[in-house]
Amino acid sequence: MDNLVESVSRVASGTGFSGVIRIDKGAETELSEAYGLAHRGFQIPNTEDTRFAIASGGKGFTALAVVSLIVDGAISLDTTARSVLGDDLPLIADDVTIGHLLAHRSGIGDYIDEESEDLDANDYALVSPVHELITTEAFLAEVDGHPTKFPAGERFSYCNGGYIVLALIAERAAGAAYHDLISERVLVPAGLADTAFLRSDEPSGRTALGYLHLDGLRTNVLHLPVRGNGDGGIYTTVTDLHAFWNAFADGRIVPGEWVAEMTRPHSDVPEEDARYGLGFWLARTGPIVKLVGGDAGVSFYSAHDPATCSTWTVVSNTTVGAWPIASHLKTALGG
């Protein structure tokens, strides 16, 4: 492990990495190091307890909240989106189910097309003024009007909008706001005291600003919703992420049989050298489970190996900063 720690540190230093890297093996923390600045204007350094946005890493939290409602009997994997949405989002086909949405096999059109060759993480992709995107209902204007791409269940196609739809379904099924559901059904059971959907225009003193480039002062505050929702945008720390993986694996968020269902392959995704479960990425082979996120001013990778009780997390407050480290760890640790 000493050689890995040294090589990770070299990659971080050589790429101008800004963020935090943590590697745990069982109960032992092998590496926990912070690099770069949380706030460049005031020269405030990142620390091990800095809170970072994790972009699509939050989809795992949404999936867990939805599955917890399935456990309670409020909905099922076979519940159709239409049966809950009513007249909203009329372009979603009648046979699209919660199971399809969780597995990215719904075929619905997406408001951010991940398959587009022209997609740039630093693009201004939203139609609505970002300061209005506070509640889940506010996202209806973003996810409406996108034609179906293919029949439900036909194949995998990563869909951000599908997880906004899941947040809407969860709200309506539970009669509670999405952010409250995440807190009550995921954060509290897992003991994640430093994880929350913060507003980007109200960052706390320990929150890293997201920067579009490796240098300069321009942040992502105009690129992303002012408050994240079902498809991502939650803030957390590397310590909380370590606690999350332990709670998830131990069945403290949803029961063990649902952990197994969420982490079994529902799709092969060869273009990503991966597989996909329900809300979680899976390594191409083996048991490793992953949460991954990338956005303007955000890059994030966290993996858990249930066979060795090991976790490794890289979170950065720049658009692509985490990927060289993540690639290095995938090669070294098989994730």
Side-chain angles (χ1 to χ4, degrees):
M1 184 62 74
D2 287 344
N3 289 336
L4 176 62
V5 170
E6 292 172 5
S7 64
V8 166
S9 296
R10 279 198 304 273
V11 174
S13 299
T15 58
F17 175 72
S18 178
V20 180
I21 306 165
R22 176 166 168 163
I23 301 172
D24 293 90
K25 187 173 182 180
E28 298 296 323
T29 300
E30 304 283 354
L31 171 68
S32 186
E33 290 289 338
Y35 304 81
L37 298 173
H39 193 304
R40 294 174 181 175
F42 290 105
Q43 296 288 293
I44 298 171
N46 286 317
T47 66
E48 293 174 41
D49 65 352
T50 297
R51 295 205 282 195
F52 293 85
I54 61 170
S56 288
K59 286 184 173 70
F61 292 72
T62 300
L64 284 163
V66 170
V67 167
S68 76
L69 290 170
I70 294 174
V71 172
D72 287 353
I75 50 178
S76 74
L77 286 178
D78 294 327
T79 297
T80 63
R82 179 62 50 224
S83 68
V84 182
L85 295 175
D87 294 333
D88 287 329
L89 306 178
L91 294 186
I92 294 179
D94 291 346
D95 61 344
V96 170
T97 67
I98 288 173
H100 292 139
L101 292 164
L102 285 168
H104 294 289
R105 299 182 67 89
S106 68
I108 70 172
D110 201 359
Y111 78 110
I112 299 176
D113 187 1
E114 297 274 347
E115 295 179 344
S116 171
E117 294 181 0
D118 298 326
L119 183 66
D120 186 317
N122 287 343
D123 286 344
Y124 294 90
L126 297 169
V127 174
S128 305
V130 295
H131 69 276
E132 295 180 358
L133 295 173
I134 301 169
T135 65
T136 311
E137 293 285 336
F139 282 82
L140 279 169
E142 297 294 326
V143 298
D144 197 10
H146 302 285
T148 294
K149 296 169 65 175
F150 55 84
E154 179 180 274
R155 62 181 174 87
F156 176 92
S157 180
Y158 192 85
C159 185
N160 291 285
Y163 270 68
I164 295 291
V165 175
L166 285 169
L168 282 166
I169 290 171
E171 285 193 341
R172 295 180 183 186
Y178 167 78
H179 299 110
D180 293 338
L181 288 172
I182 295 297
S183 178
E184 295 164 5
R185 291 175 175 268
V186 182
L187 307 186
V188 170
L192 309 186
D194 263 344
T195 303
F197 280 98
L198 305 176
R199 289 181 58 122
S200 63
D201 59 355
E202 295 178 352
S204 72
R206 287 194 292 115
T207 303
L209 301 184
Y211 292 96
L212 304 184
H213 306 288
L214 291 180
D215 54 15
L217 297 176
R218 186 161 297 175
T219 75
N220 62 2
V221 69
L222 298 179
H223 288 70
L224 304 177
V226 72
R227 195 178 191 199
N229 207 273
D231 63 343
I234 201 166
Y235 288 75
T236 189
T237 65
V238 292
T239 301
D240 265 15
L241 285 163
H242 178 62
F244 166 77
W245 285 120
N246 287 335
F248 176 59
D250 290 346
R252 285 185 274 129
I253 306 174
V254 295
E257 60 267 26
W258 277 102
V259 174
E261 177 65 17
M262 297 178 80
T263 59
R264 75 168 178 86
H266 289 250
S267 298
D268 285 319
V269 193
E271 63 271 24
E272 298 291 341
D273 192 31
R275 299 168 296 169
Y276 200 83
L278 300 178
F280 293 84
W281 288 97
L282 312 172
R284 190 71 189 91
T285 60
I288 293 172
V289 185
K290 301 182 287 186
L291 291 174
V292 180
D295 227 326
V298 183
S299 48
F300 163 74
Y301 175 91
S302 187
H304 171 71
D305 185 349
T308 61
C309 296
S310 298
T311 63
W312 47 99
T313 295
V314 187
V315 61
S316 174
N317 58 325
T318 61
T319 299
V320 297
W323 306 133
I325 310 292
S327 178
H328 189 71
L329 289 175
K330 285 176 68 176
T331 300
L333 299 171

